[in-house]
Amino acid sequence: MTTDTATTIPAPPRWLHFWAIATACAALPLLILGAEVTTRGVGMVDPRGFRWPWEIVPLVIDAVKQGNFALVIELMHRMFGFLVGIFAIGLCVGLLAKGRGWKRWVGVAVLAAVVTQGMLGRYRVDLNVLLGGELKLIHGCFAHLVFALLVSVAVWTSRAWNAPVPQASASSARLRHTSLLVVSLIYLQLVLGGLVRHRDLAFGARAHLLGAFVVVAAVAWLVKVAFEPPPHERQGTRAVGVLAALVGLQLLLGIESWLSKFTLVGQMPRQVEPLPVETDLIRSTHYLVGALTFAAAVTVALLAHRQVGWASRTAPAPASTLEGAA
């Protein structure tokens, strides 16, 4: 008779986990402000792509006094970009100092991703004449990847991630494969949404609408796979539940965003009138929830892959233990 005992990898300090959470939370207002910049079309309201924080503050004060809220939104987006950059620097230093193994270099990847996103934002303005809306689309799509990376670091630095890993099973293999499929489909759907926001393409809205049906079906299948095993074998069910709830909310916001476009046509039947909520806010929230949905899907995939060497590893028990259990 043989048994396995789990060997755990020491978790990073709790303060580092809380710093990772704070970094991800700091990115949320950055995402919503960035979405508002695109929704309201104010990305070029400031012709300079880069300003230092001490330059931005007086400009924001003057813009508020003048009622120029388009400039306020754009400049506050940049201010939160600096804030996330500061958090990313702290996270990078903390992981290099306290991380173990591959986690030490995750902070470097985070800082590189945040800097790259900032550069895309800067040159989206400075090179607008040369590249048009190309960098604007890339900037918006890359933001989802950066935010998902920040959430992933918060998961990797948690004590739950570093706990012993349960035995792998056939159901866990299905969960791993399905979760990766869901992550891919959701990101493709986000890219299609970016095409709808940034490009007036004939197939953009149609493909995005069709993609919504595909994503809902894939997430429903993921829920089935996650809750199918016995309770003691289930993994990441809480994250799967959060993902399903976000997809439902995203679907409702997508419907309202879609209906709000009919107001541009003229008088429409009452049944297709949008809710009495500012349509720009609905569209921006739709973008934000999309980022949260993708991050939740990545979290599910990470938790599903803990059994294949990402987190704690299982090692054979000592020979004396095996002989005594025989």
Side-chain angles (χ1 to χ4, degrees), residues 6-21 95 98 100 103 151-166 238 303 306 310-313:
T7 59
T8 61
I9 300 173
R14 291 185 67 85
W15 66 263
L16 190 55
H17 174 55
F18 291 136
W19 188 270
I21 293 175
L95 284 169
K98 297 294 184 179
R100 300 290 187 91
K103 292 178 186 175
V151 172
S152 299
V153 175
V155 174
W156 288 329
T157 54
S158 66
R159 293 185 179 273
W161 175 264
N162 293 276
V165 180
R238 184 178 301 178
L303 294 175
R306 288 180 69 235
W310 279 86
S312 305
R313 295 181 290 272

Side-chain angles (χ1 to χ4, degrees), residues 267-308:
Q267 186 65 33
M268 298 299 295
R270 182 176 178 81
Q271 289 185 355
V272 296
E273 289 181 1
L275 293 175
V277 181
E278 188 179 0
T279 57
D280 288 345
L281 183 59
I282 291 178
R283 294 175 189 173
S284 297
T285 305
H286 186 53
Y287 177 89
L288 175 64
V289 176
L292 293 171
T293 303
F294 180 64
V298 170
T299 300
V300 172
L302 289 175
L303 294 175
H305 282 76
R306 288 180 69 235
Q307 294 176 329
V308 290

Side-chain angles (χ1 to χ4, degrees), residues 172-185 222 225 243 297-305:
S172 62
R174 292 178 59 203
L175 181 63
R176 290 197 298 271
H177 299 153
T178 308
S179 64
L180 290 177
L181 175 63
V182 169
V183 167
S184 302
L185 289 174
L222 179 64
V225 171
L243 172 61
V298 170
T299 300
V300 172
L302 289 175
L303 294 175
H305 282 76

Side-chain angles (χ1 to χ4, degrees), residues 239-261:
V240 172
V242 171
L243 172 61
L246 286 171
V247 168
L249 176 60
Q250 181 72 338
L251 188 62
L252 293 176
L253 290 170
I255 292 172
E256 289 303 320
S257 298
W258 186 269
L259 291 178
S260 68
K261 294 181 179 295

Side-chain angles (χ1 to χ4, degrees), residues 126-253:
D126 290 343
L127 300 180
N128 183 70
V129 176
L130 179 63
L131 299 178
E134 296 301 326
L135 283 182
K136 180 171 58 174
L137 175 61
I138 296 172
H139 183 57
C141 293
F142 191 65
H144 297 297
L145 297 175
V146 177
F147 181 67
L149 178 59
L150 295 178
V151 172
S152 299
V153 175
V155 174
W156 288 329
T157 54
S158 66
R159 293 185 179 273
W161 175 264
N162 293 276
V165 180
Q167 283 285 357
S169 63
S171 59
S172 62
R174 292 178 59 203
L175 181 63
R176 290 197 298 271
H177 299 153
T178 308
S179 64
L180 290 177
L181 175 63
V182 169
V183 167
S184 302
L185 289 174
I186 290 178
Y187 188 71
L188 176 60
Q189 178 69 348
L190 294 176
V191 173
L192 291 173
L195 290 176
V196 173
R197 288 170 65 84
H198 298 287
R199 287 284 183 272
D200 188 19
L201 300 177
F203 75 91
R206 293 171 175 82
H208 188 55
L209 180 61
L210 178 61
F213 289 100
V214 176
V215 168
V216 169
V219 171
W221 181 256
L222 179 64
V223 171
K224 177 181 181 298
V225 171
F227 285 88
E228 212 171 32
H232 66 279
E233 294 183 8
R234 294 174 184 171
Q235 299 179 66
T237 52
R238 184 178 301 178
V240 172
V242 171
L243 172 61
L246 286 171
V247 168
L249 176 60
Q250 181 72 338
L251 188 62
L252 293 176
L253 290 170

